[in-house]
Amino acid sequence: MVLAFLGVVLVLAGAVWRYGYVQGLDQLAARGQADLALAGDRLVGQLQRYRDLAVVLADHPDVRAELEGSATNTEAVLLEVADKSAALDIAVLDRQGRVRAAAKGSLARELGQERFVQRALRGALGWGHGPGLPLTPRAFYQAAPVFDDAGKVMGAVLVVTDLNGIDYNWRGTNPAAFFTDAQGIVYISNRSELLFWQRPESGEGLSPPAAETPEFSITWPGGHEIWHLGWGPYLPQEALHMTRMLPVIGMRGEVLLDVAQARRLAWSQSAAVAALCLAFGSLLFLAAERRRALAEANMKLEGRVAARTVALRDTNAQLLREARDREKAQAALQQAQADLVQAGKLSALGQMSAGISHELNQPLMAIRSFAENAVQFMERDKPERAAENLARISDMARRMGRIIQNLRAFARQDSTTRERVDLGAALHSALELTQTHVREAGVEMEYAPADGPLWVRGGEVRLSQVFVNLITNAVDAMAASDIKVLRVDVDQSEVITVNFRDTGPGIEMPDKVFDPFYTTKSVGPTGGMGLGLSISYGIVQSFGGQIRGSNLKSGGAWFRVTLERAATQTEAA
Ligand code: ADP
């Protein structure tokens, strides 16, 4: 495309050059016509003076007297006239063309053969050119007839002009001009080097008389004749050639006008057009390039956006899949946790079962003996004593019922949703569940229940499970201690904290106690699985609370369970 554009610009510049050149040549030709007319008029005007001189002399009485044979001093008169008019020579010829008198006597004696003499002797004005040796190589001859009184030609006056003197005046002026005669010989010129050059047989150009023909050719741009020359430093290399006939002197005027300026003008015009086109083209090219680059960048960007979109969609799908998987895993985890909680409860029940069966066995035995006694009282007809026994039996049965109710509730698998719980009730049921164990271990419980309900967020059974676990752990820890006191109290501030402080040896590794399967208890009936605290941790956290374990300065362990308050009663699930 760029090459094509450059080609078009080149063609356009060429056309502009051609047009500008032809225009320049037109102008040059107009000026050349004027120059040519001026040069012709100048030459003719200068020669005309001598023609008029010949005509005037023809009427001179001394001339007629000379021809009539009566004159004595004609040559002196002619010499004076010649000197004053700067003529080369002046002669009076008789009817046969013989010189009768001459100013300088340089001419041949017989001139009857010359055409210009013959014309004058026929009564007309005659003119011609030729060498005027020995005075000049180029002379112009003009002859006027001399008439007698009867009007017949009696002779002629011949005035010879030195052409050297004429073109000497305007030698070197511009433009180069020359005048050729009928034979095509340059006879007069303002460039002396062209004198006597001759038109060759081809009729075109000029060639020097003796030497080789120098470089020459002709072209015709726009109908103008252009000569291409190598004719020396004083002639143009390329010239517009123009001619004009000068019949008055029998010659042809020619000029050679330098076309360099027209050429320069054409060049500058075409260069300006080319520069403009190139500048405009470059602008267009740059704009097109810019647009192309933008479009390319746009396409790249769109491609990248599309690729990124696809990648994003894939990632999205992947994320969705992962989210679904995670939800599934979460559900499985929750289920596993619930199962773990349940397992923890059952394990606690297993641990407690000896105490519980003892707890149930004792009233059962009492019920049996009370019933037997009641039967005996009935037999002895002491119904009031029997009634007393029955009332005791009823009391014990109620107590047993409460224990069983607690156990059932403890073993129940409750929902994991958070609800509102009375902290006092949960603590109470935990203490009841563990009271046999506590009593058998010889541990003294210090606990002052609060007045009225204390609502916290959580599930009753699971909260009891946490407390049962903490109490059991404390009792187990104090097995070898001398003083066995477990203090349980409730701190009521913004959050509610339940503290369990014992007088045992303290926690061995406080950082580890909540890790699953961490236990210091040896395997056996009292041996643990190391799951109790880790399950409790999970439960309390699910209520939005916290469980922490540390050691007291006095040596025992201190577990704190922090729980959120349940704001109002209507929040109950
Ligand atoms: P387990 O009771 O089955 O060992 P836990 O998770 O309930 O499992 O307890 C983990 C460990 O924490 C116990 O083995 C014990 O070393 C320690 N620990 C728990 N409570 C106390 C406490 N009150 N005093 C000293 N150590 C305790």
Side-chain angles (χ1 to χ4, degrees):
M1 214 176 79
V2 171
L3 281 181
F5 176 72
L6 286 180
V8 168
V9 169
L10 216 66
V11 168
L12 193 69
V16 168
W17 183 87
R18 169 91 192 171
Y19 179 76
Y21 185 47
V22 170
Q23 288 276 310
L25 287 183
D26 287 347
Q27 283 174 14
L28 195 64
R31 214 170 61 223
Q33 283 294 354
D35 285 341
L36 198 52
L38 196 70
D41 289 350
R42 218 151 128 196
L43 178 65
V44 169
Q46 276 174 312
L47 292 178
Q48 193 88 41
R49 278 170 52 211
Y50 297 101
R51 181 176 296 183
D52 294 346
L53 184 65
V55 172
V56 171
L57 273 181
D59 281 341
H60 199 280
D62 281 356
V63 170
R64 292 178 73 170
E66 175 68 39
L67 288 173
E68 282 161 357
S70 58
T72 52
N73 199 20
T74 316
E75 286 184 346
V77 173
L78 290 181
L79 185 62
E80 193 185 349
V81 172
D83 285 346
K84 285 181 177 164
S85 65
L88 188 66
D89 206 351
I90 299 175
V92 176
L93 311 179
D94 63 10
R95 280 185 53 84
Q96 280 73 42
R98 279 192 298 263
V99 176
R100 290 285 298 268
K104 296 181 183 164
S106 63
L107 299 165
R109 302 311 297 178
E110 290 285 339
L111 291 169
Q113 297 309 307
E114 298 291 344
R115 282 189 59 213
F116 49 88
V117 174
Q118 288 172 0
R119 256 181 80 90
L121 293 178
R122 282 203 297 272
L125 285 173
W127 66 88
H129 61 270
L133 296 171
L135 295 177
T136 177
R138 292 181 298 134
F140 197 80
Y141 302 93
Q142 298 188 90
V146 181
F147 295 102
D148 61 10
D149 291 338
K152 283 180 74 184
V153 177
M154 55 192 298
V157 174
L158 177 66
V159 177
V160 186
T161 316
D162 184 5
L163 287 177
N164 265 336
I166 286 181
D167 56 20
Y168 183 79
N169 287 338
W170 33 287
R171 192 166 292 167
T173 52
N174 264 330
F178 53 90
F179 296 87
T180 49
D181 61 12
Q183 285 75 46
I185 297 171
V186 177
Y187 222 76
I188 306 165
S189 174
N190 58 0
R191 297 289 186 279
S192 56
E193 61 266 41
L194 285 183
L195 286 174
F196 298 117
W197 285 39
Q198 194 162 5
R199 184 131 296 147
E201 272 166 24
S202 63
E204 285 174 345
L206 293 171
S207 51
E212 193 107 315
T213 309
E215 214 177 294
F216 178 78
S217 62
I218 293 185
T219 50
W220 293 89
H224 295 289
E225 183 184 356
I226 302 296
W227 285 14
H228 302 263
L229 335 156
W231 289 357
Y234 303 108
L235 286 160
Q237 296 290 311
E238 263 180 86
L240 173 63
H241 178 238
M242 299 185 79
T243 59
R244 179 187 161 105
M245 289 309 295
L246 295 174
V248 187
I249 55 168
M251 290 200 179
R252 190 160 76 150
E254 303 183 32
V255 279
L256 290 173
L257 298 143
D258 195 351
V259 299
Q261 206 186 347
R263 208 170 248 281
R264 266 201 303 277
L265 205 71
W267 272 118
S268 56
Q269 280 172 350
S270 77
V273 166
L276 259 176
C277 284
L278 283 179
F280 189 64
S282 312
L283 273 178
L284 271 182
F285 180 75
L286 280 181
E289 271 298 291
R290 204 177 142 71
R291 221 178 35 218
R292 202 173 57 81
L294 269 178
E296 221 166 66
N298 214 20
M299 241 163 64
K300 255 191 215 157
L301 198 71
E302 273 173 13
R304 219 178 291 164
V305 165
R308 199 61 65 79
T309 309
V310 168
L312 264 180
R313 208 176 297 138
D314 286 355
T315 313
N316 212 23
Q318 174 84 10
L319 271 178
L320 278 175
R321 260 199 312 280
E322 276 176 16
R324 266 199 302 277
D325 290 354
R326 193 150 304 172
E327 270 169 23
K328 267 190 212 152
Q330 185 90 10
L333 191 68
Q334 254 173 11
Q335 185 56 42
Q337 264 175 351
D339 291 351
L340 206 58
V341 170
Q342 190 62 14
K345 273 193 278 193
L346 296 180
S347 128
L349 278 178
Q351 278 176 16
M352 290 186 300
S353 63
I356 290 164
S357 51
H358 173 74
E359 193 75 357
L360 291 177
N361 217 24
Q362 220 184 12
L364 211 58
M365 300 302 286
I367 285 171
R368 215 172 101 193
S369 54
F370 279 130
E372 283 167 3
N373 287 350
V375 172
Q376 283 177 9
F377 285 133
M378 294 286 271
E379 281 171 1
R380 288 182 205 162
D381 200 18
K382 285 182 181 166
E384 59 287 355
R385 292 294 295 276
E388 243 173 62
N389 273 17
L390 286 176
R392 277 198 192 128
I393 288 172
S394 166
D395 266 1
M396 282 181 187
R398 201 172 303 121
R399 196 177 133 212
M400 285 172 73
R402 219 176 51 236
I403 290 173
I404 289 166
Q405 201 185 353
N406 269 337
L407 282 176
R408 281 223 326 251
F410 187 67
R412 196 179 71 215
Q413 194 162 19
D414 59 352
S415 77
T416 52
T417 53
R418 281 200 273 164
E419 54 203 55
R420 200 179 58 141
V421 168
D422 176 15
L423 180 67
L427 258 177
H428 184 73
S429 90
L431 288 170
E432 264 193 346
L433 278 169
T434 51
Q435 73 179 3
T436 324
H437 190 47
V438 168
R439 199 173 51 233
E440 280 178 352
V443 173
E444 188 189 328
M445 276 300 299
E446 278 186 15
Y447 169 58
D451 324 320
L454 198 59
W455 300 107
V456 292
R457 288 178 168 281
E460 182 166 357
V461 180
R462 276 171 297 149
L463 201 53
S464 307
Q465 185 180 350
V466 173
F467 295 150
V468 164
N469 201 260
L470 291 174
I471 295 167
T472 318
N473 275 349
V475 171
D476 290 347
M478 290 186 292
S481 303
D482 297 336
I483 307 165
K484 302 179 182 181
V485 180
L486 174 58
R487 235 172 62 219
V488 180
D489 56 62
V490 179
D491 227 18
Q492 296 187 40
S493 53
E494 202 170 316
V495 288
I496 291 172
T497 310
V498 191
N499 297 298
F500 295 82
R501 297 184 178 88
D502 63 39
T503 54
I507 309 164
E508 234 173 73
M509 300 173 85
D511 296 343
K512 287 244 162 108
V513 283
F514 295 105
D515 290 355
F517 307 111
Y518 170 77
T519 179
T520 55
K521 295 171 192 168
S522 55
V523 188
T526 56
M529 293 213 300
L531 282 174
L533 281 180
S534 96
I535 291 171
S536 300
Y537 189 90
I539 292 173
V540 175
Q541 214 172 35
S542 77
F543 296 157
Q546 266 189 346
I547 179 165
R548 271 167 295 184
S550 57
N551 287 324
L552 290 165
K553 278 196 188 123
S554 54
W558 175 21
F559 283 89
R560 275 165 293 169
V561 179
T562 313
L563 295 164
E564 279 180 19
R565 274 177 193 277
T568 59
Q569 212 160 342
T570 49
E571 237 186 314

